[in-house]
């Protein structure tokens, strides 16, 4: 597994801890998220969005399938994938999926960080 592939895996694992402090460790300082219903351009907005989602969907498990790395360079890597989620929403088990794009960048310390995530529903 390459370093940037490991960065995606680490990000997914951090997300599934439901603790934003873990997610924050893999984010670039200037990360930007495009969700279907909101754009988040700073840490406070991103934290709030994640924590709200974890409160709405209890015991959520987030995963990536069909990952394709569509652009890879020395200091950046971009992947697309199908995201899946499952958990309890309004006391009923629910699941869903959509499309994701993630852009990772290698920082000055040589660590891969998530710079951008764009999530959307399936067509």
């Amino acid at each position: 597994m390459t370093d940037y592939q490991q960065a995606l895996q680490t990000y997914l694992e951090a997300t599934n801890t439901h603790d934003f402090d873990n997610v924050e460790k893999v984010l670039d300082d200037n990360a930007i998220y495009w969700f279907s219903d909101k754009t988040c351009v700073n840490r406070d907005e991103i934290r709030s969005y994640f924590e709200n989602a974890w409160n709405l969907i209890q015991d959520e498990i987030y995963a990536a399938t069909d990952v394709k790395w569509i652009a890879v360079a020395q200091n950046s890597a971009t992947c697309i994938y199908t995201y899946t989620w499952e958990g309890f929403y309004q006391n009923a088990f629910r699941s869903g999926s959509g499309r994701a794009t993630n852009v990772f960048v290698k920082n000055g310390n040589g660590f891969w960080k998530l710079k951008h995530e764009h999530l959307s529903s399936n067509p």
Side-chain angles (χ1 to χ4, degrees):
M1 182 178 294
T2 65
D3 289 347
Y4 56 84
Q5 290 170 322
Q6 183 59 53
L8 174 61
Q9 185 61 37
T10 301
Y11 171 64
L12 296 170
E13 290 169 2
T15 299
N16 285 321
T17 67
H18 301 178
D19 180 345
F20 190 77
D21 291 342
N22 294 326
V23 174
E24 191 170 37
K25 292 174 187 174
V26 299
L27 297 184
D28 181 78
D29 290 341
N30 298 306
I32 296 174
Y33 277 73
W34 288 355
F35 296 107
S36 297
D37 60 343
K38 184 174 174 80
T39 297
C40 298
V41 297
N42 62 53
R43 289 289 169 92
D44 290 338
E45 291 175 350
I46 298 167
R47 175 184 292 273
S48 177
Y49 198 94
F50 270 77
E51 290 177 347
N52 183 60
W54 292 327
N55 284 331
L56 288 174
I57 304 170
Q58 298 295 305
D59 301 322
E60 181 191 22
I61 299 173
Y62 182 82
T65 61
D66 302 320
V67 177
K68 293 177 181 63
W69 292 93
I70 59 171
V72 177
Q74 184 175 353
N75 294 316
S76 66
T78 302
C79 66
I80 58 174
Y81 58 88
T82 299
Y83 72 84
T84 60
W85 65 271
E86 60 182 38
F88 292 90
Y89 177 70
Q90 296 181 341
N91 296 320
F93 182 78
R94 310 281 170 111
S95 63
S97 65
R99 300 184 296 180
T101 302
N102 284 18
V103 178
F104 291 88
V105 293
K106 190 186 293 186
N107 69 14
N109 296 325
F111 296 108
W112 287 92
K113 300 288 185 166
L114 182 65
K115 179 77 168 186
H116 175 64
E117 180 168 86
H118 182 183
L119 301 178
S120 62
S121 58
N122 287 317

